[in-house]
Amino acid sequence: MNVEEIRSYCITKKGVTETFPFDVHTLVFKVMDKMFALLSLERVPAQINLKCDPEWAIELREEYDGIVIPGYHMSKKHWNTIYIEQLDPAITKKMIDHSYELVVSKLSKKLQQELRDKVN
């Protein structure tokens, strides 16, 4: 996948907004105002930071050594950096879905209900 494909995939998810809160080169995807992905627009090779269950994060880093690494400038326990052009698109999408769902699962019941009620 490339940066444009990642962006297109992320923004189709329910309740997702995109912002540039840090700089003009880092696109942040949020669900109900909580970050689930940070996409670098200028880094070569292209990369994305995704939230991840700590145990699965370790497994992914071992299985995709050098392609999935501890989150750059993020909590190394809860975030991975993925070199997206080097990974099978199906795996990348699975990791994006996991990040999104992990963040949604941590939202309050009220925010989860608001998300369910949203029309995308």
Side-chain angles (χ1 to χ4, degrees), residues 31-32 34 102-109 111-112 115:
V31 55
M32 302 304 285
K34 301 289 183 186
L102 192 61
V103 170
V104 168
S105 75
K106 302 293 184 188
L107 295 173
S108 68
K109 290 187 188 301
L111 286 177
Q112 287 182 21
L115 180 60

Side-chain angles (χ1 to χ4, degrees), residues 28-45:
V28 175
F29 297 96
K30 296 180 178 184
V31 55
M32 302 304 285
D33 210 33
K34 301 289 183 186
M35 288 191 307
F36 74 95
L38 291 88
L39 181 62
S40 176
L41 301 180
E42 291 196 340
R43 287 194 181 270
V44 176

Side-chain angles (χ1 to χ4, degrees), residues 11 22 32-33 43 49-50 53 60 62 77 96 110:
I11 62 171
F22 304 117
M32 302 304 285
D33 210 33
R43 287 194 181 270
N49 282 11
L50 297 169
D53 171 78
L60 289 166
E62 290 173 356
K77 181 177 180 180
I96 291 169
K110 180 182 177 185

Side-chain angles (χ1 to χ4, degrees), residues 10-73:
C10 288
I11 62 171
T12 62
K13 298 191 162 301
K14 195 170 201 173
V16 169
T17 57
E18 54 185 339
T19 63
F20 289 92
F22 304 117
D23 58 44
V24 296
H25 308 293
T26 307
L27 180 56
V28 175
F29 297 96
K30 296 180 178 184
V31 55
M32 302 304 285
D33 210 33
K34 301 289 183 186
M35 288 191 307
F36 74 95
L38 291 88
L39 181 62
S40 176
L41 301 180
E42 291 196 340
R43 287 194 181 270
V44 176
Q47 55 189 267
I48 188 171
N49 282 11
L50 297 169
K51 196 154 192 157
C52 192
D53 171 78
E55 290 180 16
W56 196 40
I58 292 168
E59 291 173 24
L60 289 166
R61 293 171 196 168
E62 290 173 356
E63 184 173 352
Y64 302 102
D65 187 34
I67 298 171
V68 177
I69 62 173
Y72 179 73
H73 282 301

Side-chain angles (χ1 to χ4, degrees), residues 85-101:
E85 293 170 350
Q86 300 174 34
L87 196 61
D88 181 312
I91 303 293
T92 302
K93 287 179 179 179
K94 182 177 179 179
M95 293 171 69
I96 291 169
D97 294 344
H98 172 74
S99 182
Y100 175 86
E101 292 163 11

Side-chain angles (χ1 to χ4, degrees), residues 68-80:
V68 177
I69 62 173
Y72 179 73
H73 282 301
M74 305 295 284
S75 163
K76 309 295 186 228
K77 181 177 180 180
H78 296 283
W79 290 83
N80 281 333

